[in-house]
Amino acid sequence: MKFFLDTANIAQIEEAASWGVLAGVTTNPTLYAREGGKLADFHAHIQRICAIVDGPVSAETVGLTRDEIVREGVELAALAPNVVVKVPVMVEGLAATRALFEKGIDVNMTLCFTVPQALMSARAGARYVSPFIGRFDDISEDGLEHLGNMIIALNNYDFGHPVEVIAASIRHNQHVVAASLMGADIATVPFNVLEKLVTHPLTDRGLESFLADWEKVKNS
Ligand code: E4P
């Protein structure tokens, strides 16, 4: 499983990149707004992220027609070689994804909640399909079960081009653990989850006792 950071926060991206485990970043309009992002700075912000991250950086379109989405997508893709155009699953989004695919532009289809949405995204030419987990949990449905079903369905077919599943809308470690056991290619996680993925109380306790014992060695 590869780890992506789900944020538009530059400091968090720089920090995670320094750990040597960051394979990509996903952003969305909400995450950009959370950073106080302004429309005029959006492209420069994406370029800044692309320069930090050695891997795909998803930048989302906001148009509602295929023409608007394709126009935005072409502009976004021109910002940096590692930009991936993020497009919501909907009829116009599928049509735009096909058009972008035909132009050789990688698309991440987002807001994916069902097996047919996942299959149609892949058929339209999406390079990445992003099933959301946590938002199902938020409405008392089992997001992991939906994710598992989408992975099984996608693995049943050859789409003629590479398709990777990005487990998205992740809230905690167990989402990541289960997604990896199900074979999700990527987990995109908020920074606070990425930090928690590194830690375990037994690791902390073990380190504490190693250091305490080393003090004894030093003083012997
Ligand atoms: C995925 O790419 C999305 O940006 C993200 O995972 C949405 O998650 P949320 O449900 O926490 O907003």
Side-chain angles (χ1 to χ4, degrees), residues 132-145:
F132 279 38
I133 304 172
R135 292 192 193 189
F136 265 126
D137 295 359
D138 294 345
I139 59 161
S140 302
E141 281 195 46
D142 185 352
L144 285 170
E145 191 184 339

Side-chain angles (χ1 to χ4, degrees), residues 6 26 28 31 86 132 135 168-169 171:
D6 197 26
T26 50
N28 65 37
L31 294 171
K86 205 175 186 195
F132 279 38
R135 292 192 193 189
S169 183
R171 304 277 190 262

Side-chain angles (χ1 to χ4, degrees), residues 22-211:
L22 189 64
V25 164
T26 50
T27 67
N28 65 37
T30 303
L31 294 171
Y32 183 57
R34 197 174 289 164
E35 300 309 316
K38 306 232 180 324
L39 182 60
D41 303 333
F42 180 56
H43 284 183
H45 195 86
I46 294 297
Q47 279 174 319
R48 232 178 128 194
I49 297 173
C50 287
I52 302 166
V53 184
D54 188 15
V57 173
S58 289
E60 191 157 340
T61 58
V62 290
L64 293 176
T65 68
R66 64 193 74 184
D67 290 347
E68 284 167 351
I69 298 168
V70 171
R71 186 179 41 74
E72 280 178 61
V74 168
E75 279 174 19
L76 290 170
L79 295 176
N82 52 336
V83 165
V84 169
V85 179
K86 205 175 186 195
V87 177
V89 181
M90 55 183 176
V91 169
E92 294 300 299
L94 288 172
T97 294
R98 168 53 56 173
L100 291 167
F101 172 75
E102 283 166 2
K103 291 177 190 293
I105 293 173
D106 282 345
V107 172
N108 169 5
M109 288 222 87
T110 190
L111 290 169
C112 197
F113 292 92
T114 70
V115 167
Q117 285 179 327
L119 292 172
M120 291 170 102
S121 298
R123 284 280 170 230
R127 172 74 177 74
Y128 302 94
V129 177
S130 289
F132 279 38
I133 304 172
R135 292 192 193 189
F136 265 126
D137 295 359
D138 294 345
I139 59 161
S140 302
E141 281 195 46
D142 185 352
L144 285 170
E145 191 184 339
H146 288 285
L147 171 69
N149 289 341
M150 285 187 256
I151 290 172
I152 292 167
L154 288 168
N155 284 342
N156 281 341
Y157 305 99
D158 177 2
F159 296 96
H161 65 276
V163 178
E164 288 185 89
V165 171
I166 305 180
S169 183
I170 283 179
R171 304 277 190 262
H172 49 71
N173 287 18
Q174 267 317 106
H175 279 159
V176 178
V177 172
S180 73
L181 296 177
M182 288 171 180
D185 303 285
I186 297 152
T188 190
V189 299
F191 188 74
N192 70 313
V193 173
L194 194 73
E195 280 182 315
K196 286 188 190 128
L197 291 174
V198 191
T199 61
H200 191 276
L202 290 177
T203 308
D204 296 343
R205 207 186 303 168
L207 180 60
E208 234 169 73
S209 69
F210 286 156
L211 293 179

